[in-house]
Amino acid sequence: SEVPSVVPSTSPSEVPSFVPSMIPSFVPSTLPSMIPSFVPSETPSFVPSFVPSETPSDVPSYVPSDSPSDNPSSVPSASPSKSPTSSPSKSPTRFPTPPPTPPPTPSPTPPPTSLYIGCYIDAANRAMPGGGSPALNDVNFMTVNTCRTHCRNLGFAYAGMQVRHECWCDNSYDSHGAGSGCQLGCVGGDNNYCGSDWRLSVYHT
């Protein structure tokens, strides 16, 4: 019949209707609807929505957000932050703070040329054995003036300082020749050259 029926059919039609039904169907459609639904679906969609949700999701997002979160995360981030935080961290840092650089040790001032003769080599057969081996040794308070006074009182013309605290006396000093590397300061802190290992800073008494 070419006249539409006003009585609903109890069997499905094999020809799709282009007139929307006013009665909801209880059989799910296999074709997507072109009209948005205002009732939330209980089945998750596999197609991303382009409209932001007003309800927070319980599932973490793997895409970073362009806006900061109002609630802090309870899980630490695997990557460091590029912006400094305004509040202290509750967890200890994994990297130790580098210690401050110690101030440089001041180099001793070269002594006056009227007293200092130069740097000379010492050996097992000592270059300045007069008065003892050494003539005086003070690991806490030795200075050039202490050594010079001691050697002068023993009657020697020259005083030699070695390894910062040894005082050697004699009337000669160059049996092993001139050397270098005598720039260690005295332990007594008088800011003069006091030899080094097997090196004598030689002075007039």
Side-chain angles (χ1 to χ4, degrees):
S1 171
E2 296 182 359
V3 180
S5 172
V6 294
V7 180
S9 172
T10 57
S11 59
S13 171
E14 296 180 358
V15 179
S17 171
F18 294 98
V19 180
S21 171
M22 299 292 113
I23 301 174
S25 171
F26 295 98
V27 180
S29 171
T30 57
L31 300 176
S33 171
M34 303 302 291
I35 302 174
S37 170
F38 295 96
V39 179
S41 169
E42 296 179 358
T43 305
S45 170
F46 295 98
V47 181
S49 170
F50 294 99
V51 181
S53 170
E54 297 179 358
T55 305
S57 170
D58 295 327
V59 181
S61 170
Y62 295 95
V63 180
S65 170
D66 293 329
S67 58
S69 171
D70 294 328
N71 298 320
S73 171
S74 59
V75 181
S77 171
S79 58
S81 171
K82 295 181 181 179
S83 302
T85 178
S86 58
S87 58
S89 171
K90 297 180 181 179
S91 302
T93 178
R94 291 177 291 175
F95 303 100
T97 302
T101 304
T105 303
S107 300
T109 303
T113 55
S114 59
L115 296 177
Y116 183 61
I117 298 173
C119 181
Y120 289 85
I121 299 171
D122 200 4
N125 55 330
R126 295 294 184 173
M128 302 179 70
S133 297
L136 187 64
N137 188 12
D138 188 341
V139 297
N140 295 313
F141 303 107
M142 180 64 73
T143 65
V144 168
N145 284 336
T146 300
C147 182
R148 289 179 57 246
T149 300
H150 183 72
C151 293
R152 184 171 60 248
N153 290 340
L154 294 177
F156 294 103
Y158 307 110
M161 286 297 306
Q162 190 170 143
V163 293
R164 304 184 66 201
H165 56 81
E166 292 181 0
C167 174
W168 298 78
C169 306
D170 213 292
N171 289 320
S172 63
Y173 51 81
D174 57 354
S175 58
H176 300 297
S180 61
C182 291
Q183 286 81 16
L184 293 180
C186 295
V187 293
D190 66 351
N191 208 31
N192 284 313
Y193 291 160
C194 286
S196 62
D197 291 334
W198 299 103
R199 294 293 184 273
L200 290 160
S201 293
V202 181
Y203 296 83
H204 291 286
T205 59

